[in-house]
Every structure is written in C-alpha cells, then in structure tokens.
Amino acid sequence: MIRIMITGGAGYIGSHVVKLLGQMGYDILVYDNLCTGNKWAVLYGELIQGDIGDEQLLDKIFQKFRPDVVMDFAAFIQVNESVKDPIKYYYNNTAKTLILLKSMVKNNITNFIFSSTAAVYGIPKKIPVSEEHPLDPINPYGQSKAFVEQILKDLSNATDLNYISLRYFNVAGADPEGKIGQAYKESTHLITRALKTANGEFEKLQIYGTDYPTKDGTCIRDYIYVMDLADAHILAMNYLLETKKSNIFNCGYGHGYSVREVIDIAKKVTGIDFPVEETKRREGDPPALVADSSKIKQQLNWKPKYDDLYFIIKTAWEWEKKYSHGNIR
Ligand code: UFG
C-alpha cells in the first residue's frame, strides 16, 4: 500500500486531492496547521495539526509513517497579498518549505510533489506558455515558488530526492458532490468573489484593470477544474514512483477567459445580474497566463474531463450557497 503524506491537505486544493486519493484507497496522512484549512475538509486519512516549519515534528512523522510520497499544498496563494506582505510569502512558501525538504532528505523520504504556479513565468513572452519559458516572476508569490523550484533542482542533483513540480494555472470549482470547496473567507480569487457578490456578501465586484493589451482590456487566465488537477497529481505520483525522475509540468487547459467573460458566465450560472465596477489595475497581475499543456498530456497521458467553465463555476456556485449558509456536509 502506497503511503502519502499531504501537507496543506485541509486547504482548498489539498482537500480535493485527499478526497480523490482516499476514494482510491491510498494510505493517507494529512499534515496541516489549519491556518486557512479546515478539519471538516479532510474526508480521508488521519489529520495531524502541525506546521511545515516544525522540523522536530516532521522528523518524528517521517520516522513513524515513512511516506512513499509527500505532496505539498501548504502555501499562501494570493498574488496581491504577496506584493503587500512579501515576508509572509518568503517565510512560509520558501523558508518553511526548505525545512520540510531538509527533514525529508534527512529521513530519506525521496519523492516530492510540489504545488508550483504559473506565476513563476511572470509576463510570458509567448502565449500559451510552455515549461521551457524562462522564469521571471513579477510578484513575491511567484518568486517564493520559483525559489523552491531552484532548491528542488539542486537537491535532486545532490541527494536521492526526486520531485515533480506542477505549475498550476487558475484553479477553480468545487467537489461535484458538494462536500468540499473553496472555504477561505478572505479569498480574493475572481470566481469566489463574483459568486460571493451574487450571493449578497459583497456590494459589488470590481474589475481590476480594463486597459490590458488583451481582446477586451481585462486579464486572461486559464481556469482549471480542481478535480482535473487532482487527477494530474495521481498521474504525477505514478510517474515519479515508476521512473524516479524529476520533472516539471504545466497544469492548465491551454485556453483562457478574460475577467469580463468569467463575470458573464458567473451571471448566467447564478441567474443574478450582480453589480460590477471597473477600477484600476491590481499590482502584480500579468495580463495573460495560458498554459501550453501538451507536455502533461503527452508524457503523463493527462486527459482533462471538465474543460467547461460553465460547469466549473456551477460547482463553485453550488458550494458557495451551501457554505455561506453553514450547511457543510
Ligand atoms: N480579478 C478581478 N476582480 C477580483 C478578483 C480578481 O478583476 O475581485 C482579476 C485579477 O486582477 C486577475 C484575474 O481576475 O486578472 C484572476 O485573479 P485571481 O485572484 O482569481 O487569480 P490570480 O491570477 O491572481 O492568481 C491565481 C492564484 C495563484 C496562481 C495564479 C496562476 O491565486 O496562486 O492564479 O495563474 F499563481
């Protein structure tokens, strides 16, 4: 039985991956400090409350549980927040991840799946952007992850550690069964904010910038359904266990939607014509981020099943209604 430790497994993406792994029967241990995650979101496996910066606790767990694979979701993810508070991002996303990796190497735990991000590319010179594109992040969030990618490269050369870095584009949607979803109350993500506005939690939705060099002046992003991303983790894990080779893959569908298009779909899905205001650009936002996803499709045989933004937003809407009324489970 393959043993998997999932750091940040009580958070948004981690909890969806835990659900999929649990349904597939893997032996799971979730490790989360619950700063943004929730106990109720962990549907499978044991939950240990701990921090990825706690080397002693990690050493103990690695010696006892001896995971075949560690998947790391424990990170802060809000681009704009990272511009305002870089220390929070470099401390948690880089420095503490280094402690996690140090403890892994010390305890001879050799397989690591890293949640990286499209934000490592900065402003891409070419869209769609492939894994070969140079890394040139324009915000501390992207830089905090790019640093870890460099650390991973160096560690894989110097030690037995092998890793897969998955560069997520814009992850969205919720569990189709409605048990889990984006539950971080201060989330600033576009789809979450749009749905919370439709739900009456905010007076209006703001569009951050309408003067970008894109088809309608608003930013373009590649929105990937959280369960398709969960599938990518299983494929990455199997690849890593079979080949013992480190690699990097983009996770996105290969086409993007503008902020205005996302809002139009959110209005259709909810049936609510919520108020929208155009305002100035938000710091740290690249104009367009769209994945060249041919590598993951070819090398891991990843076959996304839910490349449909209407469906994705619908799952998020079902979740949002339930969650805002406190009806979890
Ligand atoms: N936006 C608005 N109004 C809002 C919220 C967002 O106009 O209220 C715009 C943003 O300016 C941006 C787009 O919608 O142009 C998407 O913004 P999100 O905050 O939803 O997501 P980001 O693209 O900033 O970042 C997300 C994740 C990162 C990841 C990145 C990869 O938060 O972790 O996608 O593409 F790196």
Side-chain angles (χ1 to χ4, degrees):
M1 167 74 69
I2 294 173
R3 286 186 303 279
I4 309 166
M5 176 163 157
I6 298 131
T7 64
Y12 168 49
I13 300 171
S15 64
H16 286 79
V17 175
V18 166
K19 185 182 177 207
L20 183 61
L21 292 169
Q23 284 173 331
M24 295 174 85
Y26 289 105
D27 190 358
I28 294 169
L29 188 140
V30 174
Y31 186 84
D32 198 304
N33 68 4
L34 299 177
C35 74
T36 58
N38 295 285
K39 271 187 196 164
W40 53 256
V42 180
L43 300 177
Y44 292 87
E46 186 192 350
L47 167 67
I48 293 182
Q49 192 170 344
D51 195 281
I52 54 165
D54 186 343
E55 191 173 339
Q56 276 185 345
L57 182 56
L58 287 169
D59 284 347
K60 239 198 251 166
I61 292 171
F62 286 144
Q63 280 152 27
K64 200 167 157 224
F65 185 65
R66 299 222 57 83
D68 299 291
V69 182
V70 175
M71 294 189 184
D72 177 31
F73 300 92
F76 294 116
I77 58 160
Q78 316 227 82
V79 168
N80 191 241
E81 182 186 51
S82 80
V83 175
K84 296 192 174 119
D85 190 357
I87 287 182
K88 178 171 176 178
Y89 280 72
Y90 291 125
Y91 186 55
N92 187 81
N93 293 6
T94 309
K96 286 189 182 180
T97 307
L98 180 61
I99 307 256
L100 170 67
L101 291 168
K102 181 177 174 225
S103 178
M104 281 183 68
V105 169
K106 197 194 322 176
N107 292 289
N108 201 26
I109 307 293
T110 55
N111 296 306
F112 187 65
I113 299 199
F114 179 56
S115 300
S116 189
T117 172
V120 295
Y121 296 119
I123 300 176
K125 292 191 179 64
K126 196 176 148 255
I127 292 284
V129 58
S130 82
E131 291 84 352
E132 309 301 310
H133 189 284
L135 305 193
D136 192 11
I138 59 163
N139 51 63
Y141 168 65
Q143 185 64 65
S144 73
K145 292 281 181 176
F147 280 143
V148 176
E149 287 207 3
Q150 182 62 48
I151 292 167
L152 287 169
K153 203 170 152 195
D154 296 341
L155 280 179
S156 72
N157 285 333
T159 72
D160 289 337
L161 187 89
N162 299 307
Y163 72 94
I164 303 283
S165 186
L166 295 177
R167 293 182 181 153
Y168 307 167
F169 283 65
N170 285 56
V171 188
D175 165 33
E177 288 172 15
K179 289 188 176 152
I180 44 177
Q182 169 69 265
Y184 179 49
K185 286 215 169 16
E186 280 84 52
S187 171
T188 54
H189 286 131
L190 175 62
I191 293 176
T192 308
R193 292 296 284 229
L195 297 178
K196 283 189 189 297
T197 310
N199 214 7
E201 284 178 54
F202 296 108
E203 214 174 280
K204 61 190 175 202
L205 177 73
Q206 293 189 313
I207 298 182
Y208 299 133
T210 53
D211 59 347
Y212 283 100
T214 59
K215 53 187 174 185
D216 66 15
T218 65
C219 289
I220 292 178
R221 296 288 183 272
D222 184 339
Y223 294 89
I224 167 177
Y225 186 48
V226 65
M227 294 313 295
D228 274 336
L229 183 66
D231 276 343
H233 284 77
I234 313 274
L235 296 170
M237 176 179 73
N238 291 336
Y239 170 96
L240 193 57
L241 292 171
E242 273 162 33
T243 66
K244 301 270 168 219
K245 281 201 182 120
S246 298
N247 215 330
I248 296 174
F249 298 99
N250 279 344
C251 295
Y253 290 141
H255 56 87
Y257 293 87
S258 72
V259 173
R260 288 191 208 280
E261 286 170 335
V262 171
I263 294 172
D264 281 348
I265 298 175
K267 286 187 174 181
K268 283 198 188 98
V269 167
T270 59
I272 298 165
D273 187 15
F274 52 83
V276 174
E277 176 188 71
E278 295 183 2
T279 172
K280 64 176 184 3
R281 291 182 179 197
R282 189 173 73 172
E283 247 185 291
D285 282 341
L289 275 174
V290 177
D292 176 342
S293 51
S294 45
K295 186 175 173 190
I296 188 167
K297 285 174 180 154
Q298 277 160 21
Q299 294 196 21
L300 298 189
N301 200 21
W302 182 61
K303 292 194 174 80
K305 299 190 204 78
Y306 304 97
D307 180 1
D308 172 356
L309 193 57
Y310 190 94
F311 170 81
I312 296 171
I313 294 184
K314 194 161 189 317
T315 62
W317 177 232
E318 294 308 322
W319 166 255
E320 198 56 52
K321 285 187 290 185
K322 188 170 163 183
Y323 178 64
S324 65
H325 290 103
N327 303 322
I328 301 155
R329 301 271 173 95

